[in-house]
């Protein structure tokens, strides 16, 4: 029987978890209702009622003796705990993603120059797996996405190191894996956001690089709405 049954709920699952932490999955464990109640911050009657419900649901086996009771978590009880574990694992182990919405806008043309420089191109090929189209797609973010942008810091970046030639020094940049979606539902992944360490752009300006010219691939014009999904896909 599942924990979704009316007689068994989250309180019983918490009790089952506590018993498992005490070794209930390894074999019989002796407990008293008074000790269990104290650890659950509940009354003796509540602790006893939870054990009864777990037993009735087939998640626990009990053998009452004069000075307590022996309990064992059943195979069905272990399955319920594993199901709960998988749900938490999906929450905390799934790679974080951030959705940023905005409109396509024309940049100032600097992206084409810097993306084409050999010191960057070599690193793009090695670390991103492609040489970007010379230029960036510029997206002006909505106000709510500007606020949400800080969450991108939780996503593992792809660093692009600074370098220098005979004329000048070029600063480092940070890339994040991304995908882009249009208002019509067209979707392109395998692209990256890029943020130079030194930039005149405000937080509402997002730059995207890709192997091909995204304006042509997605038939984008200034003012078109897009969603940039930042994170592994």
């Amino acid at each position: 029987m599942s924990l979704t049954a009316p007689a068994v709920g989250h309180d019983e699952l918490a009790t089952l978890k506590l018993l498992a932490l005490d070794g209930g999955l390894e074999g019989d464990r002796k407990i008293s209702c008074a000790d269990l109640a104290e650890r659950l911050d509940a009354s003796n009657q509540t602790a006893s009622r939870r054990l009864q419900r777990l037993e009735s649901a087939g998640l626990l086996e009990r053998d009452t003796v004069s000075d307590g009771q022996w309990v064992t978590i059943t195979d069905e009880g272990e399955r319920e705990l594993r199901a709960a574990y998988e749900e938490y694992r999906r929450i905390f182990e799934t790679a974080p993603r951030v959705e940023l919405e905005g409109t396509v806008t024309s940049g100032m043309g600097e992206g084409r120059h810097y993306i084409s420089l050999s010191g960057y191109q070599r690193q793009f090929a090695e670390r991103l797996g492609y040489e970007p189209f010379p230029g960036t797609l510029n997206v002006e973010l909505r106000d709510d996405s500007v606020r949400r942008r800080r969450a991108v810091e939780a996503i593992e970046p792809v660093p692009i190191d600074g370098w220098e030639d005979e004329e000048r020094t070029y600063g480092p940049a940070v890339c994040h894996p991304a995908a882009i979606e249009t208002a019509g539902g067209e979707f392109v992944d395998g692209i990256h956001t890029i943020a130079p360490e030194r930039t005149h752009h405000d937080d509402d300006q997002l730059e995207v690089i890709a192997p091909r010219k995204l304006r042509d691939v997605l038939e984008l014009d200034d003012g078109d709405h897009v969603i940039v999904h930042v994170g592994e896909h």
Side-chain angles (χ1 to χ4, degrees):
M1 183 179 295
S2 169
L3 285 179
T4 57
V8 181
H10 296 295
D11 289 340
E12 285 73 28
L13 180 58
T15 303
L16 192 67
K17 180 182 70 174
L18 183 60
L19 295 174
L21 289 171
D22 280 345
L25 291 172
E26 301 168 5
D28 292 351
R29 305 291 294 181
K30 191 175 183 180
I31 64 169
S32 70
C33 277
D35 178 61
L36 182 61
E38 181 177 356
R39 298 178 65 187
L40 293 172
D41 193 22
S43 66
N44 286 9
Q45 292 82 359
T46 296
S48 177
R49 187 163 53 248
R50 291 185 188 178
L51 291 174
Q52 291 172 6
R53 289 176 177 171
L54 288 169
E55 183 181 27
S56 297
L59 308 183
L60 190 73
E61 292 179 352
R62 294 192 302 159
D63 183 18
T64 302
V65 293
S66 59
D67 58 345
Q69 50 193 307
W70 291 89
V71 299
T72 304
I73 296 175
T74 64
D75 290 344
E76 181 65 23
E78 182 177 351
R79 281 192 289 271
E80 291 290 351
L81 288 171
R82 287 188 179 278
Y85 164 74
E86 288 298 325
E87 290 178 351
Y88 280 108
R89 190 175 67 85
R90 288 198 298 273
I91 293 173
F92 293 108
E93 294 184 9
T94 300
R97 296 180 184 176
V98 181
E99 289 188 358
L100 302 176
E101 297 188 48
T103 55
V104 174
T105 183
S106 294
M108 299 181 66
E110 293 183 351
R112 175 182 296 274
H113 171 66
Y114 285 102
I115 295 300
S116 301
L117 294 174
S118 60
Y120 291 129
Q121 283 283 352
R122 286 194 297 269
Q123 295 185 70
F124 292 145
E126 292 173 359
R127 302 180 185 184
L128 305 184
Y130 62 87
E131 292 186 3
F133 170 83
T136 61
L137 179 72
N138 294 75
V139 179
E140 184 174 350
L141 299 178
R142 301 189 329 187
D143 289 344
D144 56 342
S145 288
V146 172
R147 294 189 294 270
R148 199 181 305 129
R149 187 173 185 172
R150 286 190 60 86
V152 173
E153 297 175 4
I155 299 173
E156 188 70 22
V158 180
I160 304 298
D161 299 329
W163 57 284
E164 61 183 41
D165 59 18
E166 296 178 353
E167 298 180 357
R168 57 167 291 187
T169 297
Y170 298 91
V174 175
C175 294
H176 287 94
I180 190 167
E181 181 181 1
T182 69
E186 294 181 273
F187 190 88
V188 173
D189 59 5
I191 65 177
H192 290 79
T193 64
I194 184 167
E197 185 175 80
R198 297 172 182 171
T199 177
H200 63 271
H201 284 318
D202 295 327
D203 287 342
D204 64 347
Q205 297 295 315
L206 183 70
E207 293 185 275
V208 180
I209 57 177
R212 299 171 59 192
K213 187 177 181 180
L214 291 174
R215 280 181 177 264
D216 291 347
V217 173
L218 297 173
E219 299 181 349
L220 294 171
D221 294 314
D222 282 1
D224 285 348
H225 176 266
V226 293
I227 302 175
V228 180
H229 305 267
V230 185
E232 292 289 349
H233 291 78

